[in-house]
């Protein structure tokens, strides 16, 4: 049975003290349920987050990593650096990385391979822009994103993949895909994975929804059979809101 996951992508928010404070609040208020909680602070606060959440049932993830093993890549962070401090999950392909840092699916395929080589779990983000949905090209686009970045993988690699469908037009806009739109796309994705990798992989891969998930809409979104959790931006920066979303399952 696939896992329910709620992941907070903190983006470029929270300094070190604020990171500690937010984690302490999350730890103090979190209930025990079956939903995995993931937090993704910025690189400089990852070690603090790992130390703070040690054996507290919270997974710490990085928001990005470089595809190379190491070398002269000023400002970048390698997989080995992450795993050496206990970070074994990485978000790849976020739409902000694609839009502002020109990450393509071909580049993401390399990052995916490097992460897997280091036995990391990947939360792979993808999703269409509004212009794609307006011309009814959203299913095609999502299919190409998955094909170009992930469909070279072996069946066995998929135990390390979590998918995160984030329609770009719903990120930070207050505009959410309707629960029906989310389910329709998640079902399409699972059917596609089934076609390429078979039933078992398709049934076991968790597909998260991201884009303006808030405490007041999480329950409805998560009630869809193919939505296995959320990737949360703004609402993950407040412990009460984030935990209300975690508890929406
Ligand atoms: P918001 O929840 O702020 O829309 O952000 C979603 C997101 O980009 C998570 O990665």
């Amino acid at each position: 049975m696939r896992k329910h996951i709620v992941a907070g992508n903190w983006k470029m928010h929270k300094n070190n003290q604020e990171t500690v404070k937010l984690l302490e609040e999350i730890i103090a208020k979190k209930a025990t349920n079956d939903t995995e909680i993931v937090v993704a602070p910025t690189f400089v606060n990852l070690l603090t987050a790992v130390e703070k959440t040690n054996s507290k049932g919270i997974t710490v993830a990085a928001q990005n990593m470089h595809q190379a093993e190491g070398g002269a890549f000023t400002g970048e962070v390698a997989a080995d650096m992450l795993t050496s401090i206990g970070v074994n999950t990485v978000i790849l392909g976020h739409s902000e990385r694609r839009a502002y840092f020109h990450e393509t699916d071909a580049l993401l395929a390399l990052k995916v391979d490097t992460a897997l080589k280091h036995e990391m779990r990947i939360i792979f983000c993808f999703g269409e822009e509004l212009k794609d949905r307006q011309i009814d090209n959203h299913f095609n686009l999502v299919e190409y994103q998955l094909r170009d970045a992930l469909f070279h993988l072996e069946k066995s690699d998929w135990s390390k993949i979590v998918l995160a469908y984030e329609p770009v037009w719903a990120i930070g806009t207050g505009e959410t895909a309707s629960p029906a739109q989310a389910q329709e796309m998640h079902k399409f994705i699972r059917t596609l994975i089934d076609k390429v990798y078979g039933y078992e992989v398709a049934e076991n891969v968790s597909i998260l929804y991201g884009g303006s998930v808030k405490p007041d809409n999480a329950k409805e979104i998560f009630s869809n059979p193919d939505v296995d959790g959320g990737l949360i931006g703004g609402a993950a920066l407040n412990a009460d809101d984030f935990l209300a979303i975690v508890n929406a399952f």
Side-chain angles (χ1 to χ4, degrees), residues 21-220:
K21 185 167 175 283
L22 179 53
L23 287 173
E24 281 173 349
E25 283 174 18
I26 292 172
I27 290 163
K29 295 177 178 175
K30 92 178 179 63
T32 327
N33 70 11
D34 289 342
T35 304
E36 180 183 352
I37 299 177
V38 179
V39 293
T42 187
F43 281 129
V44 289
N45 294 319
L46 285 174
L47 182 56
T48 301
V50 167
E51 288 170 350
K52 208 71 213 163
T53 56
N54 191 17
S55 16
K56 296 286 194 293
I58 295 173
T59 303
V60 176
Q63 297 174 17
N64 177 36
M65 55 159 248
H66 197 270
Q67 66 276 14
E69 291 296 333
F73 299 105
T74 301
E76 292 293 325
V77 173
D80 173 61
M81 296 167 186
L82 297 173
T83 58
S84 73
I85 60 163
V87 174
N88 297 299
T89 300
V90 62
I91 297 171
L92 293 177
H94 192 278
S95 63
E96 287 146 21
R97 301 288 324 164
R98 293 172 186 263
Y100 307 138
F101 303 97
H102 315 295
E103 295 195 0
T104 61
D105 288 306
L107 173 76
L108 291 167
L110 299 176
K111 292 192 179 207
V112 164
D113 289 346
T114 304
L116 289 175
K117 197 169 151 209
H118 289 264
E119 298 186 355
M120 296 180 79
R121 182 171 54 154
I122 297 154
I123 300 176
F124 184 80
C125 305
F126 55 95
E128 81 283 359
E129 291 178 40
L130 188 57
K131 63 178 171 29
D132 305 303
R133 191 165 272 269
Q134 280 166 340
I135 57 165
D136 212 20
N137 191 38
H138 46 298
F139 293 114
N140 266 341
L141 190 107
V142 160
E143 182 166 347
Y144 291 148
Q145 287 175 324
L146 293 175
R147 183 195 66 190
D148 293 349
L150 297 178
F151 286 177
H152 64 289
L153 298 179
E154 301 291 332
K155 214 172 181 173
S156 58
D157 294 328
W158 280 79
S159 62
K160 294 282 194 190
I161 305 288
V162 172
L163 298 176
Y165 168 60
E166 296 205 309
V168 179
W169 48 272
I171 296 178
T173 57
E175 188 89 37
T176 336
S178 69
Q181 284 172 321
Q183 169 57 22
E184 184 186 33
M185 180 58 89
H186 283 226
K187 178 87 194 147
F188 169 80
I189 295 161
R190 206 177 298 287
T191 305
L192 177 64
I193 307 285
D194 189 350
K195 269 192 232 150
V196 180
Y197 286 99
Y199 179 80
E200 209 183 314
V201 172
E203 274 304 296
N204 286 314
V205 67
S206 296
I207 309 177
L208 316 185
Y209 170 79
S212 298
V213 179
K214 307 286 178 207
D216 60 2
N217 60 21
K219 213 174 192 69
E220 214 186 340

